[in-house]
């Protein structure tokens, strides 16, 4: 049994929960989450995205069903809804995937909200995976008490979310906040979105690997480190010159992007999670120095540049939080 210390049987019986689902290109993460953001049960399955949208959907529905069974039996909880955060662009009103691309082949057009509500008879809210991270940070993380902030999620790609006056900026259908596809080099390489020199080409795991390989071939060196973000960070901390060059490019690209976001949104904070942001304070110090040089002092003074407060669970916590905080 999952009694918390000092909890009465009555309080335990009245405990309400929501199911949170975080769908990425590699893994699907499920959790039973209460309104305070505490996780009571969780599981992770491989997405196996190359098997196609129907298979990913089956895995999603099966995972939700497992969480439902836990919550209603062993957990003794009342389920209030299902919150889903998915990679790709989401049509927020209908809860349908508007565009998912190569990360999730066959996922475009999937009516997630309708399918989940039909199967489980529980209110379902679907949003983009980075939008739900912003919700988690606002209610349980570093953005508590803030009404205007920007989130950047550095992963295989670069995702973004913008909160203004306590609400996510959604745009025409829900696609707003694609901050990874803001150009930081108009003469840069072509991106799959159509633009040139997108931030994602320099600050994502894939982008950093590309920069590292190019840098090593220029120096006619083979790497003693893996050319992905964690490998580059470790080598940078050890003073490896090729890694330092790569990280300098990443910092310049990120600072150009962040300065543009500060000028556009005048946020109280810019929150960075995943990828190179895990390099910690020396990385943030170098980044702040560059952003400051590129930004109107009035706007820099009011914008904090900080690491995300919630780690790998931010997706499921934020996905579930939609049930409590989106009415
Ligand atoms: Zn792009």
């Amino acid at each position: 049994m999952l009694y918390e210390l000092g909890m009465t049987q009555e309080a335990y019986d009245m405990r309400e929960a929501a199911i949170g689902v975080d769908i990425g290109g590699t893994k699907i993460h499920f959790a039973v989450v209460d309104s305070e953001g505490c996780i009571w049960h969780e599981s992770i399955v491989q997405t196996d995205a190359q098997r196609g949208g129907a298979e990913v959907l089956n895995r999603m529905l099966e995972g939700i069903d497992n969480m439902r069974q836990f919550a209603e039996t062993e957990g003794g909880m009342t389920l209030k809804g299902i919150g889903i955060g998915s990679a790709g662009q989401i049509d927020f009103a209908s809860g349908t995937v508007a565009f998912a691309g190569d990360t999730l082949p066959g996922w475009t057009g999937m009516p997630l909200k309708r399918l989940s509500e039909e199967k489980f008879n529980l209110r379902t809210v679907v949003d983009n995976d980075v939008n739900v991270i912003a919700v988690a940070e606002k209610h349980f993380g570093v953005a508590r008490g803030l009404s205007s902030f920007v989130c950047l999620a550095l992963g295989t790609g670069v995702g973004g979310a913008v909160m203004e006056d306590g609400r996510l900026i959604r745009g025409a259908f829900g696609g707003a906040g694609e901050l990874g596809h803001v150009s930081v080099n108009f003469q840069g390489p072509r991106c799959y979105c159509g633009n040139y020199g997108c931030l994602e080409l320099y600050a994502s795991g894939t982008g950093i690997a590309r920069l590292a390989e190019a840098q090593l071939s220029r120096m006619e060196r083979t790497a003693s480190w893996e050319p992905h973000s964690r490998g580059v960070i470790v080598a940078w901390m050890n003073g490896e010159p090729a890694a330092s060059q790569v990280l300098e490019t990443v910092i310049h690209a990120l600072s150009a992007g962040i300065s543009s976001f500060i000028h556009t949104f005048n946020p109280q904070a810019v929150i960075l999670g995943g990828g190179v942001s895990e390099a910690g304070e020396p990385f943030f110090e170098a980044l702040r120095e560059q952003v400051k040089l590129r930004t109107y002092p009035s706007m820099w003074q009011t914008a904090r540049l900080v690491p995300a407060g919630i780690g790998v669970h931010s997706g499921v916590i934020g996905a579930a939080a939609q049930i409590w905080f989106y009415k």
Side-chain angles (χ1 to χ4, degrees):
M1 292 292 272
L2 283 166
Y3 285 107
E4 273 182 7
L5 214 56
M7 186 182 272
T8 63
Q9 176 70 45
E10 193 184 358
Y12 181 85
D13 288 342
M14 284 170 60
R15 188 159 275 264
E16 293 181 337
I19 295 172
V21 186
D22 179 19
I23 304 169
T26 315
K27 286 172 186 155
I28 311 176
H29 193 167
F30 305 90
V32 175
V33 189
D34 67 21
S35 59
E36 279 141 40
C38 296
I39 291 178
W40 288 70
H41 191 61
E42 65 175 319
S43 75
I44 295 175
V45 300
Q46 297 298 312
T47 312
D48 270 345
Q50 70 286 352
R51 292 195 181 195
E55 176 61 25
V56 176
L57 180 69
N58 282 340
R59 290 177 186 210
M60 182 193 90
L61 294 173
E62 195 185 320
I64 292 173
D65 202 34
N66 290 338
M67 292 298 119
R68 184 185 62 80
Q69 282 175 36
F70 169 85
E72 291 177 353
T73 57
E74 202 179 331
M77 296 161 145
T78 306
L79 278 176
K80 302 303 282 184
I82 298 164
I84 300 172
S86 173
Q89 298 161 10
I90 306 299
D91 182 303
F92 183 71
S94 67
T96 302
V97 181
F99 181 75
D102 293 343
T103 323
L104 290 163
W107 202 234
T108 300
M110 203 61 90
L112 300 179
K113 177 182 166 71
R114 181 171 62 77
L115 294 170
S116 168
E117 289 186 340
E118 277 172 11
K119 184 167 168 70
F120 301 108
N121 200 26
L122 282 167
R123 175 179 169 236
T124 301
V125 184
V126 187
D127 206 344
N128 163 270
D129 55 351
V130 188
N131 278 355
V132 305
I133 290 176
V135 172
E137 290 293 343
K138 172 162 174 56
H139 294 285
F140 308 114
V142 289
R144 262 179 294 194
L146 302 186
S147 58
S148 170
F149 63 93
V150 171
C151 269
L152 274 181
L154 310 174
T156 315
V158 172
V162 182
M163 192 80 81
E164 166 59 28
D165 199 19
R167 300 168 71 93
L168 285 160
I169 293 182
R170 299 193 182 280
F173 69 82
E178 282 285 5
L179 304 180
H181 298 280
V182 166
S183 178
V184 292
N185 178 6
F186 73 92
Q187 293 174 319
R190 190 88 194 256
C191 178
Y192 60 88
C193 74
N195 204 349
Y196 292 84
C198 289
L199 176 59
E200 177 163 309
L201 299 177
Y202 302 93
S204 66
T206 328
I208 292 170
R210 181 183 60 85
L211 291 173
E213 274 155 25
Q215 180 63 31
L216 288 165
S217 74
R218 262 198 301 278
M219 295 173 80
E220 296 179 344
R221 291 265 311 275
T222 49
S224 54
W225 37 274
E226 291 291 322
H228 50 54
S229 47
R230 188 153 297 150
V232 171
I233 290 164
V234 172
W236 171 64
M237 285 172 163
N238 292 333
E240 225 278 346
S244 302
Q245 292 278 335
V246 171
L247 211 68
E248 203 167 292
T249 307
V250 174
I251 286 170
H252 278 285
L254 264 175
S255 62
I258 290 169
S259 170
S260 298
F261 307 148
I262 293 175
H263 288 148
T264 310
F265 301 111
N266 182 207
Q268 295 162 299
V270 177
I271 299 165
L272 248 68
V276 279
S277 72
E278 287 166 14
E281 209 39 40
F283 171 79
F284 274 87
E285 270 311 303
L287 194 57
R288 287 186 194 109
E289 209 172 282
Q290 278 302 317
V291 176
K292 185 181 174 185
L293 290 174
R294 295 167 181 265
T295 308
Y296 269 131
S298 55
M299 294 200 199
W300 170 247
Q301 280 158 15
T302 49
R304 291 189 300 134
L305 177 52
V306 289
I310 310 171
V312 291
H313 290 98
S314 61
V316 279
I317 292 173
Q322 298 180 99
I323 296 302
W324 313 114
F325 301 111
Y326 294 179
K327 295 298 176 192

PDB file of all heavy atoms in Angstrom, residues 258-259 262-263 266-268 270 284 287-305:
ATOM      1  N   ILE A 258      18.837  32.919 -28.140  1.00  0.00           N
ATOM      2  CA  ILE A 258      18.244  33.362 -26.868  1.00  0.00           C
ATOM      3  C   ILE A 258      18.062  34.877 -26.853  1.00  0.00           C
ATOM      4  O   ILE A 258      17.040  35.397 -26.395  1.00  0.00           O
ATOM      5  CB  ILE A 258      19.104  32.867 -25.679  1.00  0.00           C
ATOM      6  CG1 ILE A 258      18.972  31.338 -25.556  1.00  0.00           C
ATOM      7  CG2 ILE A 258      18.687  33.539 -24.374  1.00  0.00           C
ATOM      8  CD1 ILE A 258      19.963  30.692 -24.601  1.00  0.00           C
ATOM      9  N   SER A 259      19.053  35.609 -27.406  1.00  0.00           N
ATOM     10  CA  SER A 259      18.921  37.062 -27.473  1.00  0.00           C
ATOM     11  C   SER A 259      17.682  37.445 -28.292  1.00  0.00           C
ATOM     12  O   SER A 259      16.913  38.336 -27.901  1.00  0.00           O
ATOM     13  CB  SER A 259      20.183  37.655 -28.094  1.00  0.00           C
ATOM     14  OG  SER A 259      19.975  39.014 -28.361  1.00  0.00           O
ATOM     15  N   ILE A 262      14.623  36.854 -26.214  1.00  0.00           N
ATOM     16  CA  ILE A 262      14.461  37.897 -25.187  1.00  0.00           C
ATOM     17  C   ILE A 262      13.916  39.177 -25.832  1.00  0.00           C
ATOM     18  O   ILE A 262      13.001  39.810 -25.316  1.00  0.00           O
ATOM     19  CB  ILE A 262      15.797  38.150 -24.442  1.00  0.00           C
ATOM     20  CG1 ILE A 262      16.175  36.913 -23.607  1.00  0.00           C
ATOM     21  CG2 ILE A 262      15.678  39.379 -23.530  1.00  0.00           C
ATOM     22  CD1 ILE A 262      17.532  36.998 -22.926  1.00  0.00           C
ATOM     23  N   HIS A 263      14.458  39.534 -27.011  1.00  0.00           N
ATOM     24  CA  HIS A 263      13.965  40.736 -27.696  1.00  0.00           C
ATOM     25  C   HIS A 263      12.514  40.568 -28.155  1.00  0.00           C
ATOM     26  O   HIS A 263      11.756  41.526 -28.216  1.00  0.00           O
ATOM     27  CB  HIS A 263      14.857  41.062 -28.902  1.00  0.00           C
ATOM     28  CG  HIS A 263      16.196  41.602 -28.518  1.00  0.00           C
ATOM     29  ND1 HIS A 263      17.341  41.396 -29.250  1.00  0.00           N
ATOM     30  CD2 HIS A 263      16.580  42.343 -27.447  1.00  0.00           C
ATOM     31  CE1 HIS A 263      18.367  41.985 -28.656  1.00  0.00           C
ATOM     32  NE2 HIS A 263      17.930  42.561 -27.561  1.00  0.00           N
ATOM     33  N   ASN A 266      10.436  39.513 -24.224  1.00  0.00           N
ATOM     34  CA  ASN A 266      10.749  40.215 -22.971  1.00  0.00           C
ATOM     35  C   ASN A 266      10.405  39.329 -21.758  1.00  0.00           C
ATOM     36  O   ASN A 266       9.658  39.717 -20.866  1.00  0.00           O
ATOM     37  CB  ASN A 266       9.987  41.560 -22.940  1.00  0.00           C
ATOM     38  CG  ASN A 266      10.271  42.392 -21.700  1.00  0.00           C
ATOM     39  OD1 ASN A 266       9.440  43.193 -21.287  1.00  0.00           O
ATOM     40  ND2 ASN A 266      11.415  42.228 -21.096  1.00  0.00           N
ATOM     41  N   PRO A 267      10.952  38.085 -21.729  1.00  0.00           N
ATOM     42  CA  PRO A 267      10.548  37.142 -20.674  1.00  0.00           C
ATOM     43  C   PRO A 267      11.224  37.435 -19.334  1.00  0.00           C
ATOM     44  O   PRO A 267      12.268  38.076 -19.278  1.00  0.00           O
ATOM     45  CB  PRO A 267      11.046  35.802 -21.224  1.00  0.00           C
ATOM     46  CG  PRO A 267      12.255  36.176 -22.030  1.00  0.00           C
ATOM     47  CD  PRO A 267      11.969  37.534 -22.625  1.00  0.00           C
ATOM     48  N   GLN A 268      10.607  36.906 -18.260  1.00  0.00           N
ATOM     49  CA  GLN A 268      11.234  36.988 -16.930  1.00  0.00           C
ATOM     50  C   GLN A 268      12.356  35.960 -16.814  1.00  0.00           C
ATOM     51  O   GLN A 268      13.272  36.128 -16.017  1.00  0.00           O
ATOM     52  CB  GLN A 268      10.184  36.712 -15.849  1.00  0.00           C
ATOM     53  CG  GLN A 268       9.084  37.752 -15.784  1.00  0.00           C
ATOM     54  CD  GLN A 268       7.876  37.213 -15.040  1.00  0.00           C
ATOM     55  OE1 GLN A 268       7.266  36.227 -15.455  1.00  0.00           O
ATOM     56  NE2 GLN A 268       7.530  37.847 -13.941  1.00  0.00           N
ATOM     57  N   VAL A 270      14.542  32.579 -19.177  1.00  0.00           N
ATOM     58  CA  VAL A 270      14.719  31.617 -20.260  1.00  0.00           C
ATOM     59  C   VAL A 270      15.238  30.345 -19.590  1.00  0.00           C
ATOM     60  O   VAL A 270      16.254  30.369 -18.889  1.00  0.00           O
ATOM     61  CB  VAL A 270      15.725  32.115 -21.329  1.00  0.00           C
ATOM     62  CG1 VAL A 270      15.949  31.058 -22.398  1.00  0.00           C
ATOM     63  CG2 VAL A 270      15.239  33.418 -21.953  1.00  0.00           C
ATOM     64  N   PHE A 284      26.580  27.636 -18.319  1.00  0.00           N
ATOM     65  CA  PHE A 284      25.613  28.733 -18.195  1.00  0.00           C
ATOM     66  C   PHE A 284      26.313  30.084 -18.060  1.00  0.00           C
ATOM     67  O   PHE A 284      25.857  31.082 -18.598  1.00  0.00           O
ATOM     68  CB  PHE A 284      24.650  28.481 -17.024  1.00  0.00           C
ATOM     69  CG  PHE A 284      23.471  27.642 -17.429  1.00  0.00           C
ATOM     70  CD1 PHE A 284      23.540  26.252 -17.387  1.00  0.00           C
ATOM     71  CD2 PHE A 284      22.316  28.228 -17.913  1.00  0.00           C
ATOM     72  CE1 PHE A 284      22.467  25.471 -17.794  1.00  0.00           C
ATOM     73  CE2 PHE A 284      21.239  27.462 -18.321  1.00  0.00           C
ATOM     74  CZ  PHE A 284      21.304  26.080 -18.271  1.00  0.00           C
ATOM     75  N   LEU A 287      27.458  31.124 -21.452  1.00  0.00           N
ATOM     76  CA  LEU A 287      26.287  31.484 -22.255  1.00  0.00           C
ATOM     77  C   LEU A 287      25.739  32.856 -21.850  1.00  0.00           C
ATOM     78  O   LEU A 287      25.443  33.704 -22.702  1.00  0.00           O
ATOM     79  CB  LEU A 287      25.227  30.392 -22.078  1.00  0.00           C
ATOM     80  CG  LEU A 287      24.057  30.383 -23.050  1.00  0.00           C
ATOM     81  CD1 LEU A 287      24.531  30.288 -24.495  1.00  0.00           C
ATOM     82  CD2 LEU A 287      23.123  29.216 -22.728  1.00  0.00           C
ATOM     83  N   ARG A 288      25.631  33.093 -20.529  1.00  0.00           N
ATOM     84  CA  ARG A 288      25.116  34.388 -20.046  1.00  0.00           C
ATOM     85  C   ARG A 288      25.986  35.542 -20.539  1.00  0.00           C
ATOM     86  O   ARG A 288      25.479  36.591 -20.939  1.00  0.00           O
ATOM     87  CB  ARG A 288      25.075  34.407 -18.512  1.00  0.00           C
ATOM     88  CG  ARG A 288      23.965  33.561 -17.930  1.00  0.00           C
ATOM     89  CD  ARG A 288      23.871  33.732 -16.413  1.00  0.00           C
ATOM     90  NE  ARG A 288      23.039  32.682 -15.848  1.00  0.00           N
ATOM     91  CZ  ARG A 288      23.478  31.674 -15.106  1.00  0.00           C
ATOM     92  NH1 ARG A 288      24.783  31.590 -14.805  1.00  0.00           N
ATOM     93  NH2 ARG A 288      22.656  30.762 -14.652  1.00  0.00           N
ATOM     94  N   GLU A 289      27.291  35.332 -20.527  1.00  0.00           N
ATOM     95  CA  GLU A 289      28.227  36.361 -20.969  1.00  0.00           C
ATOM     96  C   GLU A 289      27.941  36.761 -22.424  1.00  0.00           C
ATOM     97  O   GLU A 289      27.900  37.935 -22.763  1.00  0.00           O
ATOM     98  CB  GLU A 289      29.639  35.774 -20.867  1.00  0.00           C
ATOM     99  CG  GLU A 289      30.739  36.764 -20.615  1.00  0.00           C
ATOM    100  CD  GLU A 289      32.030  36.015 -20.336  1.00  0.00           C
ATOM    101  OE1 GLU A 289      32.187  35.514 -19.190  1.00  0.00           O
ATOM    102  OE2 GLU A 289      32.818  35.881 -21.267  1.00  0.00           O
ATOM    103  N   GLN A 290      27.723  35.758 -23.277  1.00  0.00           N
ATOM    104  CA  GLN A 290      27.451  36.006 -24.701  1.00  0.00           C
ATOM    105  C   GLN A 290      26.067  36.622 -24.922  1.00  0.00           C
ATOM    106  O   GLN A 290      25.927  37.522 -25.741  1.00  0.00           O
ATOM    107  CB  GLN A 290      27.548  34.688 -25.490  1.00  0.00           C
ATOM    108  CG  GLN A 290      28.964  34.297 -25.845  1.00  0.00           C
ATOM    109  CD  GLN A 290      29.667  35.364 -26.678  1.00  0.00           C
ATOM    110  OE1 GLN A 290      29.096  35.922 -27.600  1.00  0.00           O
ATOM    111  NE2 GLN A 290      30.899  35.657 -26.331  1.00  0.00           N
ATOM    112  N   VAL A 291      25.068  36.131 -24.216  1.00  0.00           N
ATOM    113  CA  VAL A 291      23.706  36.663 -24.403  1.00  0.00           C
ATOM    114  C   VAL A 291      23.678  38.130 -23.979  1.00  0.00           C
ATOM    115  O   VAL A 291      23.099  38.974 -24.656  1.00  0.00           O
ATOM    116  CB  VAL A 291      22.656  35.843 -23.602  1.00  0.00           C
ATOM    117  CG1 VAL A 291      21.270  36.466 -23.736  1.00  0.00           C
ATOM    118  CG2 VAL A 291      22.615  34.401 -24.074  1.00  0.00           C
ATOM    119  N   LYS A 292      24.356  38.434 -22.872  1.00  0.00           N
ATOM    120  CA  LYS A 292      24.401  39.808 -22.366  1.00  0.00           C
ATOM    121  C   LYS A 292      24.963  40.768 -23.421  1.00  0.00           C
ATOM    122  O   LYS A 292      24.455  41.867 -23.611  1.00  0.00           O
ATOM    123  CB  LYS A 292      25.261  39.839 -21.092  1.00  0.00           C
ATOM    124  CG  LYS A 292      25.285  41.182 -20.401  1.00  0.00           C
ATOM    125  CD  LYS A 292      26.180  41.135 -19.174  1.00  0.00           C
ATOM    126  CE  LYS A 292      26.295  42.529 -18.588  1.00  0.00           C
ATOM    127  NZ  LYS A 292      27.248  42.559 -17.470  1.00  0.00           N
ATOM    128  N   LEU A 293      26.016  40.341 -24.134  1.00  0.00           N
ATOM    129  CA  LEU A 293      26.646  41.178 -25.160  1.00  0.00           C
ATOM    130  C   LEU A 293      25.708  41.475 -26.326  1.00  0.00           C
ATOM    131  O   LEU A 293      25.880  42.448 -27.035  1.00  0.00           O
ATOM    132  CB  LEU A 293      27.898  40.475 -25.720  1.00  0.00           C
ATOM    133  CG  LEU A 293      29.106  40.352 -24.807  1.00  0.00           C
ATOM    134  CD1 LEU A 293      30.183  39.504 -25.479  1.00  0.00           C
ATOM    135  CD2 LEU A 293      29.651  41.729 -24.454  1.00  0.00           C
ATOM    136  N   ARG A 294      24.719  40.578 -26.539  1.00  0.00           N
ATOM    137  CA  ARG A 294      23.862  40.670 -27.722  1.00  0.00           C
ATOM    138  C   ARG A 294      22.482  41.239 -27.428  1.00  0.00           C
ATOM    139  O   ARG A 294      21.639  41.259 -28.316  1.00  0.00           O
ATOM    140  CB  ARG A 294      23.643  39.260 -28.304  1.00  0.00           C
ATOM    141  CG  ARG A 294      24.884  38.597 -28.851  1.00  0.00           C
ATOM    142  CD  ARG A 294      24.579  37.131 -29.089  1.00  0.00           C
ATOM    143  NE  ARG A 294      25.728  36.409 -29.584  1.00  0.00           N
ATOM    144  CZ  ARG A 294      25.978  36.182 -30.879  1.00  0.00           C
ATOM    145  NH1 ARG A 294      25.140  36.613 -31.786  1.00  0.00           N
ATOM    146  NH2 ARG A 294      27.047  35.522 -31.251  1.00  0.00           N
ATOM    147  N   THR A 295      22.217  41.608 -26.163  1.00  0.00           N
ATOM    148  CA  THR A 295      20.837  41.915 -25.779  1.00  0.00           C
ATOM    149  C   THR A 295      20.718  43.317 -25.187  1.00  0.00           C
ATOM    150  O   THR A 295      21.614  43.763 -24.457  1.00  0.00           O
ATOM    151  CB  THR A 295      20.357  40.866 -24.749  1.00  0.00           C
ATOM    152  OG1 THR A 295      20.599  39.563 -25.281  1.00  0.00           O
ATOM    153  CG2 THR A 295      18.877  41.006 -24.450  1.00  0.00           C
ATOM    154  N   TYR A 296      19.613  44.010 -25.499  1.00  0.00           N
ATOM    155  CA  TYR A 296      19.325  45.308 -24.876  1.00  0.00           C
ATOM    156  C   TYR A 296      19.472  45.175 -23.363  1.00  0.00           C
ATOM    157  O   TYR A 296      18.831  44.293 -22.763  1.00  0.00           O
ATOM    158  CB  TYR A 296      17.880  45.731 -25.162  1.00  0.00           C
ATOM    159  CG  TYR A 296      17.662  46.569 -26.392  1.00  0.00           C
ATOM    160  CD1 TYR A 296      16.657  46.246 -27.306  1.00  0.00           C
ATOM    161  CD2 TYR A 296      18.436  47.708 -26.617  1.00  0.00           C
ATOM    162  CE1 TYR A 296      16.440  47.028 -28.425  1.00  0.00           C
ATOM    163  CE2 TYR A 296      18.226  48.489 -27.748  1.00  0.00           C
ATOM    164  CZ  TYR A 296      17.220  48.153 -28.638  1.00  0.00           C
ATOM    165  OH  TYR A 296      17.010  48.919 -29.739  1.00  0.00           O
ATOM    166  N   PRO A 297      20.289  46.047 -22.728  1.00  0.00           N
ATOM    167  CA  PRO A 297      20.492  45.909 -21.273  1.00  0.00           C
ATOM    168  C   PRO A 297      19.187  45.897 -20.483  1.00  0.00           C
ATOM    169  O   PRO A 297      19.032  45.132 -19.526  1.00  0.00           O
ATOM    170  CB  PRO A 297      21.334  47.145 -20.913  1.00  0.00           C
ATOM    171  CG  PRO A 297      22.030  47.501 -22.184  1.00  0.00           C
ATOM    172  CD  PRO A 297      21.098  47.124 -23.298  1.00  0.00           C
ATOM    173  N   SER A 298      18.221  46.724 -20.893  1.00  0.00           N
ATOM    174  CA  SER A 298      16.948  46.792 -20.149  1.00  0.00           C
ATOM    175  C   SER A 298      16.270  45.420 -20.111  1.00  0.00           C
ATOM    176  O   SER A 298      15.671  45.041 -19.099  1.00  0.00           O
ATOM    177  CB  SER A 298      16.014  47.807 -20.798  1.00  0.00           C
ATOM    178  OG  SER A 298      15.848  47.478 -22.170  1.00  0.00           O
ATOM    179  N   MET A 299      16.363  44.674 -21.194  1.00  0.00           N
ATOM    180  CA  MET A 299      15.687  43.372 -21.254  1.00  0.00           C
ATOM    181  C   MET A 299      16.537  42.263 -20.638  1.00  0.00           C
ATOM    182  O   MET A 299      16.002  41.313 -20.064  1.00  0.00           O
ATOM    183  CB  MET A 299      15.356  43.016 -22.699  1.00  0.00           C
ATOM    184  CG  MET A 299      14.339  43.950 -23.296  1.00  0.00           C
ATOM    185  SD  MET A 299      13.558  43.188 -24.712  1.00  0.00           S
ATOM    186  CE  MET A 299      12.895  44.644 -25.492  1.00  0.00           C
ATOM    187  N   TRP A 300      17.873  42.396 -20.775  1.00  0.00           N
ATOM    188  CA  TRP A 300      18.758  41.392 -20.164  1.00  0.00           C
ATOM    189  C   TRP A 300      18.642  41.422 -18.650  1.00  0.00           C
ATOM    190  O   TRP A 300      18.608  40.380 -17.990  1.00  0.00           O
ATOM    191  CB  TRP A 300      20.207  41.622 -20.619  1.00  0.00           C
ATOM    192  CG  TRP A 300      21.182  40.780 -19.845  1.00  0.00           C
ATOM    193  CD1 TRP A 300      22.138  41.207 -18.976  1.00  0.00           C
ATOM    194  CD2 TRP A 300      21.237  39.344 -19.833  1.00  0.00           C
ATOM    195  NE1 TRP A 300      22.797  40.143 -18.429  1.00  0.00           N
ATOM    196  CE2 TRP A 300      22.268  38.987 -18.934  1.00  0.00           C
ATOM    197  CE3 TRP A 300      20.527  38.335 -20.481  1.00  0.00           C
ATOM    198  CZ2 TRP A 300      22.601  37.667 -18.670  1.00  0.00           C
ATOM    199  CZ3 TRP A 300      20.854  37.012 -20.215  1.00  0.00           C
ATOM    200  CH2 TRP A 300      21.874  36.693 -19.326  1.00  0.00           C
ATOM    201  N   GLN A 301      18.539  42.653 -18.092  1.00  0.00           N
ATOM    202  CA  GLN A 301      18.502  42.792 -16.621  1.00  0.00           C
ATOM    203  C   GLN A 301      17.307  42.089 -15.997  1.00  0.00           C
ATOM    204  O   GLN A 301      17.356  41.669 -14.845  1.00  0.00           O
ATOM    205  CB  GLN A 301      18.471  44.280 -16.242  1.00  0.00           C
ATOM    206  CG  GLN A 301      19.848  44.913 -16.313  1.00  0.00           C
ATOM    207  CD  GLN A 301      19.795  46.416 -16.461  1.00  0.00           C
ATOM    208  OE1 GLN A 301      18.756  47.032 -16.245  1.00  0.00           O
ATOM    209  NE2 GLN A 301      20.921  47.012 -16.835  1.00  0.00           N
ATOM    210  N   THR A 302      16.219  41.961 -16.743  1.00  0.00           N
ATOM    211  CA  THR A 302      15.019  41.358 -16.155  1.00  0.00           C
ATOM    212  C   THR A 302      14.841  39.894 -16.543  1.00  0.00           C
ATOM    213  O   THR A 302      13.885  39.245 -16.122  1.00  0.00           O
ATOM    214  CB  THR A 302      13.765  42.153 -16.568  1.00  0.00           C
ATOM    215  OG1 THR A 302      13.816  42.354 -17.984  1.00  0.00           O
ATOM    216  CG2 THR A 302      13.704  43.488 -15.858  1.00  0.00           C
ATOM    217  N   ALA A 303      15.754  39.357 -17.370  1.00  0.00           N
ATOM    218  CA  ALA A 303      15.607  37.965 -17.832  1.00  0.00           C
ATOM    219  C   ALA A 303      16.653  37.071 -17.174  1.00  0.00           C
ATOM    220  O   ALA A 303      17.862  37.284 -17.349  1.00  0.00           O
ATOM    221  CB  ALA A 303      15.757  37.904 -19.347  1.00  0.00           C
ATOM    222  N   ARG A 304      16.216  36.090 -16.413  1.00  0.00           N
ATOM    223  CA  ARG A 304      17.154  35.123 -15.838  1.00  0.00           C
ATOM    224  C   ARG A 304      17.347  33.982 -16.819  1.00  0.00           C
ATOM    225  O   ARG A 304      16.389  33.535 -17.442  1.00  0.00           O
ATOM    226  CB  ARG A 304      16.617  34.563 -14.517  1.00  0.00           C
ATOM    227  CG  ARG A 304      16.584  35.594 -13.390  1.00  0.00           C
ATOM    228  CD  ARG A 304      16.244  34.924 -12.072  1.00  0.00           C
ATOM    229  NE  ARG A 304      14.934  34.259 -12.131  1.00  0.00           N
ATOM    230  CZ  ARG A 304      14.707  33.021 -11.686  1.00  0.00           C
ATOM    231  NH1 ARG A 304      15.697  32.302 -11.183  1.00  0.00           N
ATOM    232  NH2 ARG A 304      13.495  32.488 -11.759  1.00  0.00           N
ATOM    233  N   LEU A 305      18.588  33.524 -16.968  1.00  0.00           N
ATOM    234  CA  LEU A 305      18.877  32.383 -17.848  1.00  0.00           C
ATOM    235  C   LEU A 305      19.253  31.215 -16.946  1.00  0.00           C
ATOM    236  O   LEU A 305      20.321  31.223 -16.319  1.00  0.00           O
ATOM    237  CB  LEU A 305      20.021  32.763 -18.800  1.00  0.00           C
ATOM    238  CG  LEU A 305      20.553  31.723 -19.769  1.00  0.00           C
ATOM    239  CD1 LEU A 305      19.440  31.091 -20.564  1.00  0.00           C
ATOM    240  CD2 LEU A 305      21.562  32.365 -20.708  1.00  0.00           C
TER     241      LEU A 305
END
